[in-house]
Amino acid sequence: MKKVEDFRVLGHKWLNYSSYIIELEAPEPLSPVQPGNFAEIEISNSPHVFLRRPFSIFDANPLTNTLSFYVKVIGEGTRVLGKARKGDKVNIIYPLGNAFSIPEKKNILVVAGGSGIAPFILYGKAMQKQGKQVTFLLGARKAEDIVLTEMFRPYGEVLITTEDGLLGEKGMVTQHSIFIGKDSPFEHIVTCGPEPMMKAVAGIARKKKVSCEVSLENTMACGFGACLCCIVETVDGNKCVCTEGPVFNINQLTWQT
Amino acid sequence: MKKVEDFRVLGHKWLNYSSYIIELEAPEPLSPVQPGNFAEIEISNSPHVFLRRPFSIFDANPLTNTLSFYVKVIGEGTRVLGKARKGDKVNIIYPLGNAFSIPEKKNILVVAGGSGIAPFILYGKAMQKQGKQVTFLLGARKAEDIVLTEMFRPYGEVLITTEDGLLGEKGMVTQHSIFIGKDSPFEHIVTCGPEPMMKAVAGIARKKKVSCEVSLENTMACGFGACLCCIVETVDGNKCVCTEGPVFNINQLTWQT
Amino acid sequence: MADLSVSIHKLQLKNPVTTASGTYGYGEEFVEFMDVNRLAAIFVKGITLEHREGNPYPRMAETASGMLNSVGLQNRGVDYFIQHIYPRVRNFDTHIIPNVNGSTIEDYVTVTRKLNEVKGIEAIELNISCPNVKAGGMAFGINRKSAMEATRAVRDVYDKTLIVKLSPNVTDIADMARAVVDAGADAISLVNTFLGMAINAETRRPILGTITGGLSGPAIKPIALRMVWDVFKAVKVPVIGMGGIMNAADAIEFILAGSTAIQVGTANFIDPAASVKILQGVKEYMARQGVSSVKELIGGMIVK
Amino acid sequence: MADLSVSIHKLQLKNPVTTASGTYGYGEEFVEFMDVNRLAAIFVKGITLEHREGNPYPRMAETASGMLNSVGLQNRGVDYFIQHIYPRVRNFDTHIIPNVNGSTIEDYVTVTRKLNEVKGIEAIELNISCPNVKAGGMAFGINRKSAMEATRAVRDVYDKTLIVKLSPNVTDIADMARAVVDAGADAISLVNTFLGMAINAETRRPILGTITGGLSGPAIKPIALRMVWDVFKAVKVPVIGMGGIMNAADAIEFILAGSTAIQVGTANFIDPAASVKILQGVKEYMARQGVSSVKELIGGMIVK
Ligand SMILES: Cc1cc2nc3c(=O)[nH]c(=O)nc-3n(C[C@H](O)[C@H](O)[C@H](O)COP(=O)(O)OP(=O)(O)OC[C@H]3O[C@@H](n4cnc5c(N)ncnc54)[C@H](O)[C@@H]3O)c2cc1C
Ligand SMILES: Cc1cc2nc3c(=O)[nH]c(=O)nc-3n(C[C@H](O)[C@H](O)[C@H](O)COP(=O)(O)OP(=O)(O)OC[C@H]3O[C@@H](n4cnc5c(N)ncnc54)[C@H](O)[C@@H]3O)c2cc1C
Ligand SMILES: Cc1cc2nc3c(=O)[nH]c(=O)nc-3n(C[C@H](O)[C@H](O)[C@H](O)COP(=O)(O)O)c2cc1C
Ligand SMILES: Cc1cc2nc3c(=O)[nH]c(=O)nc-3n(C[C@H](O)[C@H](O)[C@H](O)COP(=O)(O)O)c2cc1C
Ligand code: FES
Ligand code: FES
């Protein structure tokens, strides 16, 4: 059941100079949330933000009725949300969008770049429950942008690449040594991050002939299928990223490899 | 010297359900402030406020470098300013506008309706220094809207009218018993409040042949003479309320009595 | 209880609050958020003769108190609407009003003919003002002659209430209104979006895939309100006003400026229950002001 | 150091940042807040032949991300300007550019003739787009023929740089631009304000004394930007862009869309030092992006 509700800010945890986790409490029992779902958050205290902002649901706790979001500051909305104070009301529409599938195969690789890590805590938890084996490959330009590795570890091995080489392997995620060789130890890949990265990951998946799901971003006015602003080209024509995504199997997309 | 500065909120004192005093600290020594001057306050945390809001300077303390404002909540800007938190930055342009004159005569009557009390603490202080004798006549619709009487008392006698009759004399300020009789114990009147009230007070002043100054409001885009939006008709043509006012001698205005 | 009902020519509305084409899907997207049946009407998204994929991505740019869109009439065509969508939504207790589009006058006529046959659809909104399509759309709405031609051609094949939606991208909106009324419009709706543009300074590229798009939201409200007032003074048919209506006060302002009904557009994206909240607020306003019928407010702005 | 200079026909500007007519007084109001001499030019407030008291109060209504004004060209007339005001401000190290208004073509011509004689004034801005006066003003600017007539008449008596300021309240801004260029304009400035309206729902009265007024501020930016781009593509003369420029990114966007210089308007009211901050931001942008001359950016929007 989609809901529009005033959540109460419980607090932020700043992870580095530009990203934080914000935790919010629902006024009533949480609607069930699936890994991959997102929410539309209203920013009501800035003269420069008009529309809601979409964020993946980072974590959901039905016992405490809390949602949390991993947010990277890139503009006014994410900046202002980072300044909300304990007790402030924040209006949220959730849960929105579809969810990652439960793959048939066992060995799953998660590839996350930048703020693309956001959906994968919930995903890791769910896959663990399903008895899957997950490996997280996290990439960033700079080592200081690699955050939350400790939060991922309970759900699988964590591999890292950084372009500055100060943490994990040097280079981009797609250059990580796990991709070397013709065969893949992984039977299913899920990815979220900058579009060029996701395209490259999709290319690898195709080459290695493993199934692959991507979580797309888009410019959204509504988040729930009303505006048709957020389309992506698919083999069946344009689809709404907010209702028919954000998760797409790469076979649905018209991306060239 | 007019300045544009980021002040720091020290706190609010709520006076009743809809009005408060907000105190703010300047980053550097205060510019000298005259009774009648106002400031333009930026409201930077609401999507519904675009322009600055003008407020009379309620009090100024050059020792602590603080300004305070008496604010009545009437819309979004005044509401949001009432929610600023200690330590928040608030950008202020001040001091703006002209000032009340120092009358030659000794006995001064201040007539203030609603938020029209704002300029008169500074005025009372200044007149006391000049050895004048000030009487404050404060009027409101309801008794609960009469606030701050204790703050005025050190500077003169305080008389009250309320339309509900629950405090002071019943009726409007202009019906107060001090106005009964042909002669006036007062030799100079200053007034601020709703326009109909000020016009009525101006009428009394004319009839009693005492000098009278009014502090006008207007819709202001800038507050410092650049937009020409805030004009009032005078005997010398249109004048800017923000630079040539807000204080006008009633002889300058084209008000009919 | 105050009387909220209004009529747009033969179309009876239970209250003046409707939702704007392209901003409310087919109503189905909103059932989880509000009681769709409380609306007087849903202007459903733009319909064309054939299936259209719409414009390339990105289709949206946020602007100060507004947004640009370049959706470009993505829809599955009139036949699909009649066969698959309308049957799903016809049981809502509200009018479903299709928004009719075309690249040529023949297209408009064909779409209209088909809709004229549909039982339950009592009005159409002729969109001669879409800024997001290359052929047709706004091209019809910014030229007096072609606006009249399109209106007249559609009028000839349509028996029920014909609402013509005007483009604000014109010098003289009153003149356009008079023209389409002369050509047979039963009512006027306005405004569609303003042609605008957004650039990303850092990348130096336009933000929209189509470079320009249509501006909506509170940013345009003062201009829209003025145009409603201009049109109200110019024509005798009912006016349906819109453009940045976010709350009940906005709706009342549009009614006072001459709107018989109003459409809530962009507001639906920010608060999916905006339209019913606006309806509630209009009722409260009427109670507070002692207005017994909303009709008393239409064009009721007090000018000295 | 990056090269910030640009030229508008014969007028040499040390940088692209100027202030818009009617929003910056004569510059004097700003000396306490900023170094006026850093501006390339000040477009001073609208000047008419005779002293004008302007429109009745109230003259301003705040709107979403914008404001309406109905000042109505209050000023003391061209003679007073030349004798009393210009001598006070001529020593600013910036161009003083009068904004010329009239109710009739003769008025425009007379005012221009007088300004043509003033040493130090190297350009005028012909305002055929003021929405706040009954006679003249926008009436000239929304009609191709009268826009050309006014431009031509003024051209005939003016030797220096003639900038014509266009009204956005037209169907085809590119066509208007071509028309005034054909009639002799050396440059185009745009946009003036959009005709809008505001109503107080509670009192049911218009907020402005004149009912309608001119909309400015960030609300109009997307439309203004699109019009600048339209005009840039249509004419060969320099374009001076404005409409809701609040910060350096906005200024860069207007330059990328085709502005040789920009005017800062409503922003001056909110931050009296906005214009110099914008200039500073433009410099920083150029440094960051490795742009050595601002001229490289003019019309530099990358369209695939
Ligand atoms: C389904 C979905 C899930 C998301 N999940 C997360 C998440 O969990 N954590 C997170 O930090 N972010 C997430 N994002 C991205 C997030 O929505 C944006 O970062 C946010 O909206 C930016 O708002 P802002 O006001 O701070 O920036 P703005 O001031 O709006 O924009 C700043 C700059 O970034 C650009 N920009 C803004 N939004 C986007 C976008 N969606 N795509 C590309 N460029 C953009 C703008 O053009 C501008 O140049 C998600 C986006 C989507 C669509
Ligand atoms: C020189 C000057 C000094 C002032 N001093 C004080 C002061 O010391 N304390 C104080 O509380 N207020 C003072 N005011 C009034 C104050 O500026 C307004 O109350 C404030 O701007 C309202 O802002 P808002 O955003 O809360 O209301 P808005 O949301 O802007 O307006 C709410 C309603 O009030 C109306 N309104 C807003 N401003 C005015 C106005 N100036 N005149 C008439 N109607 C208006 C609007 O039309 C609207 O209907 C002063 C005004 C001026 C011009
Ligand atoms: C995303 C989007 C899609 C739209 N699609 C249509 C459409 O298909 N047909 C139409 O007539 N108007 C369309 N419009 C215009 C709206 O119906 C309305 O005229 C406009 O948005 C102004 O109202 P608003 O400011 O309340 O949104 C669309 C507007 C938006 C924002
Ligand atoms: C209060 C005010 C007065 C104005 N007066 C004039 C004027 O006298 N002449 C003129 O050409 N434009 C005038 N304008 C229009 C501005 O010069 C400018 O074109 C418009 O405000 C758009 O820019 P902005 O959004 O940056 O303000 C005025 C605008 C405002 C807000
Ligand atoms: S964001 Fe509106 S349909 Fe997807
Ligand atoms: S408010 Fe701008 S001149 Fe007075």
Side-chain angles (χ1 to χ4, degrees):
Chain A
M1 217 333 248
K2 287 177 204 153
K3 291 188 193 176
V4 190
E5 280 179 353
D6 277 339
F7 278 60
R8 224 167 48 84
V9 175
L10 295 179
H12 301 73
K13 193 163 95 194
W14 280 86
L15 306 172
N16 62 13
Y17 62 102
S18 75
S19 61
Y20 56 86
I21 288 177
I22 181 170
E23 198 185 3
L24 303 115
E25 185 186 53
E28 45 173 86
L30 277 191
S31 281
V33 167
Q34 309 273 311
N37 286 170
F38 70 98
E40 282 279 358
I41 300 190
E42 186 176 31
I43 311 289
S44 60
N45 53 346
S46 166
H48 306 296
V49 177
F50 175 59
L51 298 165
R52 288 175 186 264
R53 297 290 188 259
F55 297 97
S56 301
I57 297 175
F58 178 72
D59 206 353
N61 186 337
L63 298 174
T64 53
N65 290 318
T66 51
L67 289 182
S68 58
F69 299 91
Y70 164 83
V71 178
K72 183 152 174 55
V73 175
I74 68 152
E76 175 74 359
T78 47
R79 189 184 70 77
V80 168
L81 189 61
K83 294 195 156 190
R85 302 200 211 178
K86 210 182 141 152
D88 280 359
K89 295 265 166 65
V90 173
N91 191 273
I92 299 184
I93 310 182
Y94 85 105
L96 298 170
N98 67 357
F100 290 103
S101 68
I102 301 166
E104 281 165 33
K105 305 287 176 56
K106 187 161 183 211
N107 279 307
I108 305 173
L109 176 67
V110 168
V111 185
S115 67
I117 58 173
F120 294 124
I121 288 292
L122 277 183
Y123 186 76
K125 285 187 188 176
M127 291 304 117
Q128 194 174 58
K129 270 204 197 119
Q130 299 284 337
K132 308 288 177 188
Q133 182 156 341
V134 179
T135 303
F136 298 97
L137 171 55
L138 315 180
R141 213 158 277 162
K142 290 175 288 170
E144 53 184 334
D145 290 326
I146 296 288
V147 293
L148 294 175
T149 47
E150 294 314 311
M151 277 196 79
F152 285 103
R153 230 153 249 159
Y155 311 107
E157 195 189 348
V158 178
L159 306 174
I160 291 171
T161 66
T162 54
E163 292 178 44
D164 65 8
L166 296 176
L167 205 67
E169 294 189 13
K170 188 179 164 100
M172 294 189 287
V173 279
T174 45
Q175 296 167 326
H176 194 277
S177 53
I178 48 164
F179 294 121
I180 294 174
K182 215 178 140 239
D183 290 334
S184 168
F186 306 106
E187 301 158 304
H188 181 70
I189 301 180
V190 294
T191 181
C192 183
E195 198 171 291
M197 182 206 87
M198 291 193 287
K199 286 187 168 163
V201 171
I204 291 175
R206 284 219 177 94
K207 226 165 52 197
K208 297 194 187 275
K209 300 208 168 58
V210 299
S211 58
C212 179
E213 286 180 326
V214 299
S215 177
L216 299 182
E217 289 199 3
N218 210 302
T219 54
M220 297 187 171
C222 70
F224 49 87
C227 73
L228 299 188
C229 286
C230 65
I231 52 102
V232 62
E233 220 181 276
T234 75
V235 292
D236 307 317
N238 287 336
K239 300 225 157 168
C240 269
V241 171
C242 73
T243 50
E244 300 170 281
V247 179
F248 291 88
N249 188 298
I250 57 166
N251 293 333
Q252 294 176 267
L253 301 176
T254 58
W255 288 0
Q256 313 293 348
T257 323
Chain B
M1 214 340 239
K2 286 179 207 155
K3 291 189 192 174
V4 190
E5 278 179 353
D6 277 337
F7 279 60
R8 224 167 48 85
V9 175
L10 296 179
H12 300 75
K13 192 162 94 193
W14 281 87
L15 306 172
N16 61 14
Y17 63 103
S18 73
S19 62
Y20 57 87
I21 288 177
I22 181 170
E23 198 184 5
L24 303 117
E25 185 185 53
E28 45 173 85
L30 279 190
S31 279
V33 166
Q34 308 273 307
N37 286 171
F38 71 99
E40 282 279 358
I41 300 189
E42 187 175 27
I43 311 290
S44 61
N45 52 346
S46 167
H48 306 295
V49 176
F50 176 60
L51 298 164
R52 288 174 185 264
R53 297 291 187 257
F55 297 98
S56 300
I57 296 175
F58 178 73
D59 207 352
N61 187 335
L63 298 175
T64 54
N65 290 318
T66 52
L67 289 182
S68 58
F69 299 91
Y70 164 83
V71 178
K72 186 154 173 48
V73 175
I74 67 152
E76 175 75 359
T78 48
R79 188 184 70 76
V80 168
L81 189 62
K83 294 195 156 190
R85 302 201 213 179
K86 210 180 140 151
D88 281 358
K89 295 265 166 69
V90 173
N91 191 273
I92 299 183
I93 312 183
Y94 84 105
L96 298 170
N98 68 357
F100 290 103
S101 69
I102 301 165
E104 281 167 30
K105 305 286 174 60
K106 187 163 183 206
N107 280 304
I108 304 173
L109 177 68
V110 168
V111 186
S115 69
I117 58 173
F120 294 125
I121 288 291
L122 277 183
Y123 186 77
K125 285 187 187 176
M127 291 305 117
Q128 194 175 57
K129 272 206 196 120
Q130 299 284 336
K132 307 288 174 187
Q133 182 157 342
V134 178
T135 303
F136 298 97
L137 171 55
L138 315 180
R141 214 159 275 164
K142 292 175 289 174
E144 55 185 332
D145 290 326
I146 296 290
V147 294
L148 294 175
T149 48
E150 294 314 311
M151 278 197 77
F152 285 104
R153 230 154 248 158
Y155 310 107
E157 194 190 348
V158 177
L159 307 173
I160 292 171
T161 66
T162 55
E163 292 178 41
D164 65 9
L166 295 176
L167 204 68
E169 295 188 13
K170 188 179 162 96
M172 294 188 288
V173 280
T174 45
Q175 297 167 326
H176 194 277
S177 54
I178 48 162
F179 292 122
I180 296 174
K182 213 174 141 245
D183 289 337
S184 166
F186 306 107
E187 301 158 305
H188 181 70
I189 301 180
V190 294
T191 182
C192 182
E195 198 171 291
M197 183 206 87
M198 290 194 287
K199 285 187 169 163
V201 171
I204 291 174
R206 283 217 178 96
K207 225 162 58 195
K208 298 195 186 275
K209 300 207 169 60
V210 300
S211 57
C212 180
E213 285 179 329
V214 299
S215 177
L216 300 182
E217 287 197 5
N218 211 302
T219 54
M220 296 185 173
C222 70
F224 50 85
C227 73
L228 298 188
C229 287
C230 66
I231 52 100
V232 61
E233 219 180 276
T234 75
V235 293
D236 308 317
N238 286 337
K239 298 223 158 168
C240 270
V241 171
C242 73
T243 50
E244 300 169 283
V247 179
F248 291 88
N249 189 297
I250 57 166
N251 294 331
Q252 292 176 270
L253 302 177
T254 58
W255 288 359
Q256 311 296 348
T257 324
Chain C
M1 255 284 292
D3 177 13
L4 284 158
S5 68
V6 293
S7 34
I8 304 292
H9 182 244
K10 283 184 281 183
L11 180 74
Q12 300 300 319
L13 298 182
K14 59 187 169 204
N15 65 60
V17 179
T18 75
T19 50
S21 178
T23 68
Y24 200 72
Y26 301 104
E28 300 168 301
E29 294 79 357
F30 288 80
V31 289
E32 283 173 287
F33 302 119
M34 60 173 274
D35 181 2
V36 170
N37 303 306
R38 293 181 63 194
L39 293 173
I42 297 171
F43 288 80
V44 298
K45 55 180 128 202
I47 295 170
T48 51
L49 183 55
E50 316 277 358
H51 173 115
R52 271 181 68 96
E53 285 290 315
N55 288 324
Y57 164 86
R59 292 181 172 182
M60 199 277 289
E62 188 182 67
T63 68
S65 297
M67 59 174 276
L68 289 162
N69 88 80
S70 60
V71 172
L73 298 176
Q74 176 177 336
N75 82 102
R76 308 197 60 172
V78 64
D79 292 333
Y80 188 91
F81 172 76
I82 292 172
Q83 284 157 39
H84 300 284
I85 299 170
Y86 184 61
R88 282 192 330 241
V89 299
R90 63 174 303 150
N91 289 329
F92 286 144
D93 180 22
T94 187
H95 287 287
I96 300 292
I97 305 182
N99 177 267
V100 172
N101 293 271
S103 322
T104 62
I105 291 196
E106 291 69 55
D107 285 1
Y108 279 112
V109 167
T110 314
V111 173
T112 303
R113 257 192 228 281
K114 292 178 187 247
L115 291 169
N116 196 35
E117 305 304 315
V118 182
K119 231 186 101 216
I121 294 183
E122 296 183 25
I124 58 169
E125 180 176 53
L126 186 70
N127 182 6
I128 52 169
S129 41
C130 180
N132 291 323
V133 288
K134 279 213 191 80
M138 198 178 94
F140 286 105
I142 59 172
N143 178 293
R144 194 179 206 284
K145 198 162 142 276
S146 55
M148 290 185 77
E149 271 166 25
T151 305
R152 205 172 274 133
V154 165
R155 169 78 295 170
D156 285 347
V157 299
Y158 196 63
D159 306 324
K160 298 176 261 176
T161 299
L162 172 60
I163 302 161
V164 177
K165 184 165 180 183
L166 298 183
S167 168
N169 299 289
V170 297
T171 308
D172 189 347
I173 193 83
D175 185 54
M176 290 301 298
R178 275 188 296 260
V180 298
V181 169
D182 284 350
D186 298 320
I188 302 284
S189 62
L190 77 164
V191 299
N192 210 317
T193 54
F194 288 76
L195 199 59
M197 183 167 101
I199 303 177
N200 181 328
E202 296 301 325
T203 63
R204 302 190 203 173
R205 291 176 189 277
I207 293 179
L208 298 176
T210 46
I211 306 179
T212 62
L215 183 67
S216 63
I220 67 170
K221 192 187 110 184
I223 319 179
L225 201 57
R226 186 268 297 175
M227 290 187 164
V228 165
W229 172 241
D230 279 352
V231 169
F232 173 73
K233 288 182 293 177
V235 298
K236 294 221 163 54
V237 304
V239 174
I240 302 171
M242 82 201 82
I245 295 176
M246 303 299 281
N247 55 43
D250 294 337
I252 296 290
E253 288 164 34
F254 273 85
I255 295 171
L256 291 169
S259 307
T260 297
I262 59 99
Q263 294 183 16
V264 179
T266 302
N268 298 309
F269 304 153
I270 294 164
D271 180 358
S275 53
V276 285
K277 288 182 187 163
I278 288 169
L279 175 58
Q280 186 55 34
V282 168
K283 285 184 192 164
E284 283 162 17
Y285 174 92
M286 289 172 63
R288 190 168 67 241
Q289 293 244 350
V291 177
S292 58
S293 163
V294 73
K295 296 179 202 74
E296 295 167 30
L297 296 173
I298 300 167
M301 182 172 79
I302 304 166
V303 187
K304 276 286 145 41
Chain D
M1 254 284 292
D3 177 13
L4 285 158
S5 68
V6 293
S7 34
I8 305 291
H9 183 241
K10 282 184 282 185
L11 181 73
Q12 300 301 318
L13 299 182
K14 61 186 165 203
N15 65 59
V17 180
T18 75
T19 51
S21 178
T23 69
Y24 201 74
Y26 301 104
E28 299 168 301
E29 294 80 356
F30 289 79
V31 289
E32 282 172 289
F33 302 118
M34 59 174 273
D35 181 2
V36 170
N37 303 306
R38 292 181 61 195
L39 293 173
I42 298 171
F43 288 80
V44 298
K45 55 177 129 206
I47 295 170
T48 51
L49 184 54
E50 315 278 356
H51 173 115
R52 273 181 66 95
E53 285 291 315
N55 287 324
Y57 165 84
R59 291 182 172 181
M60 196 279 287
E62 187 182 68
T63 68
S65 298
M67 60 174 276
L68 290 162
N69 88 81
S70 59
V71 171
L73 299 176
Q74 175 175 337
N75 82 102
R76 309 197 62 170
V78 64
D79 292 334
Y80 188 91
F81 171 77
I82 293 172
Q83 283 156 40
H84 299 284
I85 299 170
Y86 184 63
R88 278 190 335 238
V89 297
R90 65 174 302 150
N91 288 329
F92 286 144
D93 180 22
T94 187
H95 286 286
I96 300 292
I97 305 182
N99 176 268
V100 172
N101 294 268
S103 324
T104 62
I105 291 195
E106 291 70 56
D107 284 3
Y108 279 113
V109 168
T110 315
V111 173
T112 304
R113 256 192 228 282
K114 290 177 187 245
L115 291 168
N116 196 35
E117 304 305 312
V118 182
K119 229 187 102 219
I121 294 183
E122 296 183 26
I124 59 169
E125 180 177 52
L126 187 68
N127 182 5
I128 52 170
S129 43
C130 180
N132 291 321
V133 289
K134 278 210 193 83
M138 199 179 92
F140 286 104
I142 59 174
N143 178 294
R144 193 180 209 283
K145 198 161 142 277
S146 55
M148 290 185 77
E149 271 165 26
T151 305
R152 205 171 275 134
V154 165
R155 171 77 297 170
D156 285 347
V157 299
Y158 196 63
D159 306 324
K160 299 175 258 175
T161 299
L162 172 61
I163 303 161
V164 176
K165 185 167 181 181
L166 297 184
S167 169
N169 300 287
V170 297
T171 309
D172 188 347
I173 194 83
D175 184 55
M176 291 301 299
R178 275 187 296 259
V180 299
V181 169
D182 284 351
D186 297 320
I188 301 284
S189 62
L190 79 161
V191 300
N192 209 315
T193 54
F194 288 76
L195 200 57
M197 181 166 99
I199 303 178
N200 180 327
E202 296 300 324
T203 64
R204 304 192 200 170
R205 289 175 190 279
I207 293 179
L208 297 176
T210 46
I211 305 179
T212 62
L215 183 67
S216 63
I220 67 171
K221 192 188 109 183
I223 320 179
L225 202 56
R226 185 268 298 175
M227 290 187 165
V228 165
W229 172 240
D230 279 352
V231 169
F232 174 72
K233 288 182 294 178
V235 297
K236 295 223 163 55
V237 306
V239 175
I240 303 171
M242 81 202 83
I245 295 176
M246 302 301 279
N247 54 45
D250 294 337
I252 296 290
E253 288 163 35
F254 273 85
I255 295 170
L256 291 169
S259 306
T260 297
I262 58 99
Q263 294 183 16
V264 179
T266 302
N268 298 308
F269 304 153
I270 294 163
D271 180 358
S275 53
V276 283
K277 288 182 188 163
I278 288 169
L279 175 58
Q280 186 54 34
V282 168
K283 285 185 193 162
E284 282 161 16
Y285 173 93
M286 289 172 62
R288 190 168 66 243
Q289 292 244 351
V291 177
S292 59
S293 163
V294 73
K295 296 180 203 74
E296 294 167 30
L297 296 173
I298 300 167
M301 183 172 78
I302 303 167
V303 187
K304 280 285 148 41

